[in-house]
């Protein structure tokens, strides 16, 4: 008999459908609080704030460095794009790890 468990779209763990909605609430809160490192400046902050930080702070710093004639290295996979946009998200909303 096949398992009735379904995967959480955020973390991939398996849960029964009745439990999944409760898990997803806590999983989302936990992932938003996870500390991430900015791929451009190395600042550490909660994941929920990282996209806004990259869009505002790192884009400004990157433009200032470019105006000064410094060439930035290309960010790793999953990191922000060359124009300062936040990293591309997977279809389920997660951000690929830029280390892997």
């Amino acid at each position: 008999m096949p398992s009735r468990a379904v995967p959480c779209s955020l973390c991939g763990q398996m849960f029964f459908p009745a439990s999944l909605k409760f898990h997803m609430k806590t999983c989302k809160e936990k992932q938003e609080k996870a500390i991430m490192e900015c791929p451009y400046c190395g600042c550490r902050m909660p994941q929920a704030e990282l996209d806004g930080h990259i869009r505002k702070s790192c884009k400004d710093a990157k433009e200032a460095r470019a105006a000064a004639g410094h060439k930035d290295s290309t960010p790793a996979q999953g990191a922000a794009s060359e124009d300062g946009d936040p990293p591309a998200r997977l279809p389920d909303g997660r951000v690929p790890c830029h280390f892997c």
Side-chain angles (χ1 to χ4, degrees):
M1 174 181 252
S3 173
R4 295 185 356 213
V6 293
C8 169
S9 62
L10 300 172
C11 69
Q13 289 183 331
M14 301 296 280
F15 294 90
F16 288 112
S19 302
L20 185 61
K21 64 182 177 181
F22 300 106
H23 164 76
M24 290 204 51
K25 181 181 176 186
T26 58
C27 188
K28 181 178 178 182
E29 291 170 0
K30 183 178 177 182
Q31 287 198 357
E32 286 176 348
K33 293 177 184 175
I35 302 297
M36 303 293 290
E37 186 174 304
C38 174
Y40 288 108
C41 68
C43 289
R44 297 175 56 82
M45 67 200 67
Q47 181 176 349
E49 299 173 12
L50 185 61
D51 288 348
H53 165 79
I54 290 172
R55 256 186 256 111
K56 174 82 175 113
S57 303
C58 285
K59 185 175 183 181
D60 293 345
K62 185 175 181 182
E63 288 170 356
R65 285 191 302 267
H70 297 267
K71 181 165 173 57
D72 289 332
S73 61
T74 303
Q77 177 184 358
S81 66
E82 207 41 48
D83 59 1
D85 291 335
R89 294 192 177 269
L90 297 172
D92 59 6
R94 295 179 296 150
V95 178
C97 175
H98 65 273
F99 296 108
C100 302

